[in-house]
Amino acid sequence: MDFSSKLLEQAVDQMSQLPGIGKRTALRLVLHLLRQPETQTEQLTKALSKLKAEIKRCRNCYNISDTELCDICANPSRQEDLVCVVEDIRDVMAIENTGQYRGMYHVLGGKISPMDGIGPSQLTIKPLIKKVKDGKIQEIIFALSSTMEGDTTNFYIYKQLEGTGIKTSTIARGISVGDELEYADEVTLGRSITNRVPFENSLKS
Amino acid sequence: MDFSSKLLEQAVDQMSQLPGIGKRTALRLVLHLLRQPETQTEQLTKALSKLKAEIKRCRNCYNISDTELCDICANPSRQEDLVCVVEDIRDVMAIENTGQYRGMYHVLGGKISPMDGIGPSQLTIKPLIKKVKDGKIQEIIFALSSTMEGDTTNFYIYKQLEGTGIKTSTIARGISVGDELEYADEVTLGRSITNRVPFENSLKS
């Protein structure tokens, strides 16, 4: 694209670095900001700079947090010895939204993915193992997405935990509530039959 | 969405003010920035602030420009008395990319749209009329999108120009080059038949 304005070009270039934002979309966004009052650009840039400068990782669960210890870890009414292992804050938010979970989290910060150059050492696996070995955890629930990378990560952690005698589980895979069987993929349907649950369980919620 | 982090929430709120960016997408973008080195956020915020603070409107054509007079208006080899009326810089870029136009532009900055509260006074229609009355222009080409708003704006300007004896034209509407007739909408196909051109013209380019 030929912009005829260096300032515009730089702004569009930077905006199009964001995932899923191409040059055209970036131009649309930047032109929108130009049409708005200056305060909007100011507030956006301030919020981003402030976030990047001041955000912390919770020292217990490694979730994004404004404070040293996040709200969930600091909450005394949560069940401390039950830990759900997730990839990032979006998964924490999704599980919290269900209102069905009262344990703690451990945020890995990603999944093992050799293709993207992410090994176990870049994730917060060591602190998790340490917490287990310190005897603070009774049960770990693996809640990573069920992809190749997710399964690899689960298995890696599972292997590291061998000999600790800790209870491990994964979230149930199956047909979504309200979904038609005929449209479900075979792997999911297969797993939902293998891991069938007593009928009485389905009456509970 | 419950973020558990005020900093994150503010950043996502600001990001989701951009057109076509919902809360979920905003969260994805902000988390991406968090994973990247600090320089990326810095460069993005700097480019946006700088753009907003330093960008100018060309004093002749009102296009976005780094300088008082934009590159196109400052170019002595362009045909000064031919002016193409467009909505914003994206249209200028699109027409420039064709390499078929050597005249000048006049950027309106929008279209008359009572629904969005945009009247003629918010657009750069007055300076255009002034340029015409000063006798600087021989022909005006209307190149607004052919929507209700675009047609209204064209007609408003056309009415204002009455009595000046200036030549006006609009860009041709018709079937896109390479398109199948059967998939064209009726209005476009209808116009392309009404405004048919001598066959010899189609051999030129």
Side-chain angles (χ1 to χ4, degrees):
Chain A
M1 276 200 262
D2 181 24
F3 287 101
S4 79
S5 159
K6 275 268 160 249
L7 291 166
L8 184 66
E9 189 172 355
Q10 276 161 11
V12 170
D13 273 351
Q14 287 300 327
M15 198 62 116
S16 63
Q17 304 273 316
L18 295 172
I21 309 274
K23 290 257 170 176
R24 262 167 202 272
T25 310
L27 179 60
R28 194 160 54 85
L29 298 180
V30 168
L31 288 179
H32 172 85
L33 281 177
L34 271 182
R35 276 194 300 269
Q36 302 300 309
E38 187 147 359
T39 47
Q40 190 174 340
T41 308
E42 233 171 67
Q43 280 168 355
L44 172 65
T45 56
K46 250 190 212 161
L48 289 179
S49 305
K50 208 172 163 208
L51 174 75
K52 191 72 189 174
E54 296 180 17
I55 201 84
K56 294 179 183 67
R57 301 267 159 191
C58 168
R59 66 177 147 80
N60 186 44
C61 73
Y62 296 89
N63 193 7
I64 287 168
S65 169
D66 294 355
T67 47
E68 285 281 303
L69 201 63
C70 76
D71 288 353
I72 295 171
C73 290
N75 184 343
S77 73
R78 311 265 321 196
Q79 192 184 334
E80 262 189 84
D81 57 1
L82 178 64
V83 171
C84 184
V85 174
V86 294
E87 194 185 333
D88 68 15
I89 188 174
R90 279 174 293 184
D91 305 323
V92 174
M93 285 164 65
I95 296 175
E96 284 298 288
N97 276 342
T98 67
Q100 304 271 322
Y101 181 66
R102 300 297 304 160
M104 314 290 266
Y105 294 94
H106 187 89
V107 178
L108 289 180
K111 290 171 290 194
I112 296 173
S113 170
M115 292 278 282
D116 304 315
I118 302 174
S121 60
Q122 273 124 301
L123 308 177
T124 62
I125 294 178
K126 262 196 184 161
L128 175 65
I129 307 297
K130 189 175 177 301
K131 272 193 275 186
V132 173
K133 292 201 169 148
D134 288 352
K136 290 182 190 158
I137 306 178
Q138 291 286 326
E139 178 177 352
I140 282 183
I141 304 170
F142 292 113
L144 300 182
S145 53
S146 82
T147 56
M148 178 86 112
E149 289 82 15
D151 290 345
T152 307
T153 313
N154 286 343
F155 191 69
Y156 180 88
I157 298 173
Y158 178 76
K159 275 287 177 191
Q160 298 278 311
L161 293 172
E162 256 178 2
T164 58
I166 194 169
K167 193 175 159 194
T168 52
S169 54
T170 74
I171 55 170
R173 307 287 175 186
I175 310 298
S176 292
V177 177
D179 255 17
E180 307 271 358
L181 281 206
E182 55 180 322
Y183 299 123
D185 67 289
E186 297 114 35
V187 181
T188 306
L189 188 54
R191 281 216 210 172
S192 77
I193 290 172
T194 318
N195 303 321
R196 61 193 175 276
V197 293
F199 185 69
E200 294 79 30
N201 286 13
S202 68
L203 301 175
K204 280 181 199 160
S205 63
Chain B
M1 276 199 263
D2 181 25
F3 288 101
S4 80
S5 159
K6 275 269 161 246
L7 291 167
L8 184 66
E9 191 173 354
Q10 276 162 11
V12 169
D13 272 353
Q14 286 301 326
M15 199 62 115
S16 63
Q17 304 273 316
L18 295 172
I21 308 274
K23 288 258 173 178
R24 262 166 200 272
T25 310
L27 179 60
R28 194 160 54 85
L29 298 180
V30 168
L31 288 179
H32 171 84
L33 280 176
L34 271 182
R35 275 194 299 271
Q36 301 301 309
E38 188 148 357
T39 47
Q40 190 175 339
T41 308
E42 231 171 68
Q43 281 168 356
L44 172 64
T45 56
K46 249 190 211 162
L48 290 179
S49 306
K50 208 172 162 205
L51 174 75
K52 190 73 189 174
E54 297 181 16
I55 201 81
K56 295 180 183 68
R57 301 266 159 192
C58 167
R59 67 176 146 83
N60 185 45
C61 73
Y62 297 89
N63 193 6
I64 287 168
S65 169
D66 294 356
T67 47
E68 284 282 302
L69 201 64
C70 76
D71 288 353
I72 294 171
C73 291
N75 185 343
S77 74
R78 311 265 322 195
Q79 192 185 335
E80 265 189 82
D81 57 1
L82 177 64
V83 170
C84 183
V85 174
V86 293
E87 192 185 335
D88 69 14
I89 189 174
R90 280 175 292 185
D91 305 322
V92 174
M93 286 164 64
I95 296 175
E96 283 298 287
N97 277 340
T98 67
Q100 304 270 322
Y101 182 68
R102 299 299 302 161
M104 314 291 267
Y105 294 94
H106 187 89
V107 178
L108 289 180
K111 289 172 291 194
I112 296 174
S113 171
M115 291 280 281
D116 304 314
I118 302 175
S121 61
Q122 272 124 302
L123 308 177
T124 62
I125 294 177
K126 262 196 183 162
L128 176 65
I129 307 296
K130 189 174 177 302
K131 272 194 275 186
V132 173
K133 292 199 169 151
D134 288 351
K136 288 181 190 159
I137 305 178
Q138 290 286 326
E139 177 176 352
I140 283 184
I141 304 170
F142 291 113
L144 301 182
S145 53
S146 82
T147 56
M148 178 87 112
E149 289 83 13
D151 290 346
T152 307
T153 313
N154 285 344
F155 191 68
Y156 179 88
I157 299 175
Y158 179 75
K159 276 286 177 194
Q160 298 277 310
L161 292 173
E162 256 178 1
T164 59
I166 195 171
K167 194 176 157 192
T168 52
S169 54
T170 73
I171 54 169
R173 309 285 176 188
I175 309 299
S176 291
V177 178
D179 255 18
E180 307 270 359
L181 282 205
E182 56 181 322
Y183 299 122
D185 65 289
E186 297 116 35
V187 181
T188 306
L189 189 53
R191 281 215 211 173
S192 76
I193 290 172
T194 318
N195 302 322
R196 61 194 174 279
V197 293
F199 184 68
E200 295 79 32
N201 286 14
S202 68
L203 301 174
K204 280 180 198 160
S205 65

